[in-house]
Amino acid sequence: MDPTKGALKPSGPFLPAEREAVYRAIFTRRDVRSQFSPQPVPDDVLARILTAGHHAPSVGFMQPWSFLVLHCPDTRHKVRALFEEANAEAVAMFPPEKQAHYRSLKLEGIVDAPVNLCITCDPDRAGPVVLGRTHDMAMDRYSTVCAVQNIWLAARAEGVGVGWVSIVDPIRLRQVLGIPERVIPVAYLCLGYVHEAYTRPELEVKGWRRRLPPEDILSFDGWGGQRPDHPLLAAMRAAMGEAGS
């Protein structure tokens, strides 16, 4: 018996309103640090968000992710202490002229947000040889990041803000959360309802970085293949203008 029989159905573009909703989620997604409401995220909403994460693409369909849901204030205070220690180290890594600017930025909402998530990658989930991972062993972590992005976009559609806390020692985070040594902490996220959000990324608004123009990120037929008159560049500029850059 053919196991694929009945598994396929016609596919095509979304209706215009559905398509616009997807792009709206992408273009208005923000890394939230300081706009969290204390309002709890209901289990049904969080379940939809996590289900979106669990439907991310993964190499060899290995689904390497696990989702640690963290409500406990004591645990979150311990994680915040890890952030504060790592953040103090991070300041010294920047040139002196940027350190004051760095210190002015709020870079986490670990205690402010009503719920935190730690998303991990288990490289052994599908055994030692994984379809598609045979020549790049990092593909499982890339797959886990796809789950993070799904969570971020689903949360935006639910009106829930997400902030990714990356300034933390992953070894010590593993110890605080009791994560097995073989399992890789990939993302630590803060989640909560947000009633206001920046119209552009916060680091852009506050002058840390700007969004790169299409000509800085697009090449043709190989690395560095510049085609300044290519119509795709003009089309991307127009799309970025519609998205608010």
Side-chain angles (χ1 to χ4, degrees):
M1 182 177 178
D2 183 359
T4 65
K5 189 174 182 180
L8 299 174
K9 65 179 181 179
S11 181
F14 287 7
L15 295 173
E18 296 170 331
R19 182 187 64 212
E20 290 306 311
V22 172
Y23 284 120
R24 182 186 174 199
I26 292 169
F27 294 142
T28 62
R29 179 212 56 80
R30 295 290 175 261
D31 193 356
V32 178
R33 289 86 175 267
S34 56
Q35 292 83 38
F36 288 114
S37 162
Q39 177 184 352
V41 178
D43 284 346
D44 61 329
V45 175
L46 188 55
R48 288 195 294 270
I49 293 170
L50 294 177
T51 300
H54 191 39
H55 281 70
S58 63
V59 64
F61 199 44
M62 72 178 292
Q63 305 158 74
W65 45 73
S66 292
F67 307 140
L68 285 68
V69 180
L70 307 170
H71 289 108
C72 175
D74 183 57
T75 300
R76 291 191 288 142
H77 277 287
K78 289 178 181 177
V79 175
R80 188 180 187 186
L82 294 182
F83 163 82
E84 290 173 345
E85 184 175 337
N87 198 45
E89 296 170 350
V91 173
M93 298 179 189
F94 290 92
E97 63 272 15
K98 297 204 76 171
Q99 290 181 9
H101 193 177
Y102 182 95
R103 289 191 184 94
S104 72
L105 301 171
K106 181 173 171 55
L107 300 177
E108 56 81 30
I110 297 168
V111 176
D112 303 333
V115 62
N116 292 183
L117 292 177
C118 183
I119 302 175
T120 65
C121 172
D122 184 349
D124 300 333
R125 172 102 9 121
V129 181
V130 177
L131 188 156
R133 197 182 63 173
T134 54
H135 289 72
D136 187 347
M137 295 300 288
M139 289 301 299
D140 46 24
R141 277 165 280 181
Y142 302 153
S143 300
T144 304
V145 172
C146 288
V148 175
Q149 181 75 338
N150 272 19
I151 285 171
W152 221 330
L153 295 177
R156 176 64 192 92
E158 297 280 359
V160 174
V162 175
W164 187 332
V165 182
S166 58
I167 307 169
V168 64
D169 183 334
I171 295 174
R172 297 185 64 190
L173 180 65
R174 181 188 282 117
Q175 294 168 346
V176 166
L177 299 182
I179 298 170
E181 189 172 345
R182 75 173 194 284
V183 175
I184 304 162
V186 171
Y188 192 94
L189 308 178
C190 308
L191 278 76
Y193 283 104
V194 176
H195 300 304
E196 290 183 322
Y198 284 99
T199 57
R200 292 178 290 134
E202 184 175 351
L203 292 182
E204 184 178 15
V205 171
K206 295 184 175 179
W208 187 261
R209 290 275 294 172
R210 64 179 180 87
R211 189 175 299 282
L212 298 174
E215 55 268 26
D216 285 6
I217 62 167
L218 201 60
S219 298
F220 297 90
D221 302 315
W223 183 267
Q226 300 301 309
R227 299 275 299 277
D229 297 326
H230 197 287
L232 184 57
L233 282 167
M236 278 193 68
R237 291 190 195 98
M240 287 177 68
E242 292 174 5
S245 296

